[in-house]
Amino acid sequence: MKRILKYRHWQKTSTKNIQKIIKNKKIIGVVGASRKMGVTHICLSIANFLQSALKQDVLYIELSEDSQLLPVVGEKQINFDGHMAFSYKKVTYVLACDVEEAISLINSWQGHIVIDFADYSKNTYQVFGRCDKKIMIGSMSPWCIRDSIQIYERMKGDGMNGISIFYYQNDTKEENIFNCFFKCSMLPRPIIENPFKLKEKNFQSIIEMIL
């Protein structure tokens, strides 16, 4: 907390939001409308912000058949509640989880949880439903819009509420149309250069994502 408050350029309203994040432990799930939407990049940014800036205990669950992160975070192997995990920059990672293991981890971990969804499917939707903060990353590009619509309709059909959507393009004609269609918060996806070396300018956009 002291570390955050020493930054001179932070808005005064950030203090209240930071206290809210620290007090209310959250399960944060992020999924893409399609592949290569930057889901892992955003998840890493959120996890490292919670740990390095707010000094919170953070579990990162990679809900996927194969791990993309093992070469990056897999140097220090640890054990968490019978699960093989890895510690990297004080964030705990459990990689290539299936649904059963993810649910077990959710029930065991007492701090914040960030879940990196490889996809949204009949198998993973029940884990997504456990998330307190549901984030979908899509694009307003004409060739990507259909993917965003389809996944959103599937989520609504599964009874998912409170979904936040972050998209790539800014100032597009389609933005107003799809704001009306999705009927939920739609914000530009924040641009973060390196999720392991966050800058002060990244903090506010991350807070807005996870509140």
Side-chain angles (χ1 to χ4, degrees):
M1 188 69 176
K2 290 181 180 179
R3 171 175 173 153
I4 283 290
L5 294 179
K6 76 179 182 180
Y7 288 106
R8 291 175 295 178
H9 303 292
W10 265 56
Q11 298 177 1
K12 292 181 180 179
T13 55
S14 296
T15 304
K16 185 177 180 180
N17 289 336
I18 290 165
Q19 292 173 339
K20 187 184 296 184
I21 292 169
I22 291 173
K23 182 179 179 180
N24 301 317
K25 306 295 184 184
K26 280 189 174 181
I27 304 170
I28 303 165
V30 186
V31 67
S34 57
R35 296 281 183 171
K36 306 300 181 182
M37 284 289 165
V39 169
T40 297
H41 193 95
I42 290 296
C43 285
L44 289 171
S45 300
I46 293 171
N48 283 286
F49 171 75
L50 289 170
Q51 199 295 311
S52 64
L54 302 191
K55 303 302 179 185
Q56 299 296 290
D57 294 327
V58 183
L59 173 65
Y60 189 113
I61 298 175
E62 184 185 37
L63 192 59
S64 174
E65 292 183 1
D66 302 304
S67 177
Q68 300 181 64
L69 289 174
L70 183 60
V72 181
V73 304
E75 291 184 5
K76 183 181 179 181
Q77 184 175 324
I78 61 173
N79 180 285
F80 167 67
D81 198 25
H83 300 272
M84 183 176 72
F86 301 90
S87 179
Y88 185 74
K89 295 185 180 292
K90 299 183 180 180
V91 173
T92 300
Y93 293 84
V94 181
L95 306 177
C97 285
D98 59 21
V99 169
E100 183 178 352
E101 185 174 18
I103 291 174
S104 174
L105 289 163
I106 289 171
N107 293 334
S108 299
W109 188 264
Q110 297 301 311
H112 291 277
I113 301 175
V114 180
I115 307 179
D116 177 346
F117 286 79
D119 59 19
Y120 181 84
S121 66
K122 291 181 179 179
N123 291 326
T124 62
Y125 86 94
Q126 58 184 304
V127 180
F128 197 68
R130 292 285 300 271
C131 296
D132 304 303
K133 184 68 177 183
K134 304 175 181 70
I135 298 171
M136 189 270 278
I137 301 177
S139 173
M140 293 295 100
S141 297
W143 52 91
C144 297
I145 287 174
R146 189 172 77 170
D147 292 329
S148 298
I149 292 174
Q150 287 179 341
I151 190 172
Y152 181 76
E153 288 182 333
R154 285 163 56 199
M155 288 175 176
K156 296 302 287 185
D158 290 332
M160 300 295 172
N161 296 312
I163 302 165
S164 297
I165 299 177
F166 292 82
Y167 57 88
Y168 274 90
Q169 269 74 10
N170 298 340
D171 302 324
T172 61
K173 293 180 181 179
E174 290 87 357
E175 181 180 339
N176 290 333
I177 297 172
F178 284 90
N179 261 320
C180 295
F181 174 80
F182 289 119
K183 295 180 180 178
C184 61
S185 56
M186 292 182 64
L187 297 169
R189 178 184 178 273
I191 298 172
I192 299 170
E193 295 175 9
N194 187 337
F196 296 109
K197 294 182 179 180
L198 298 172
K199 298 178 181 179
E200 182 183 348
K201 65 181 182 181
N202 303 137
F203 293 170
Q204 191 61 37
S205 60
I206 295 174
I207 284 178
E208 289 172 0
M209 292 190 80
I210 63 181
L211 275 176

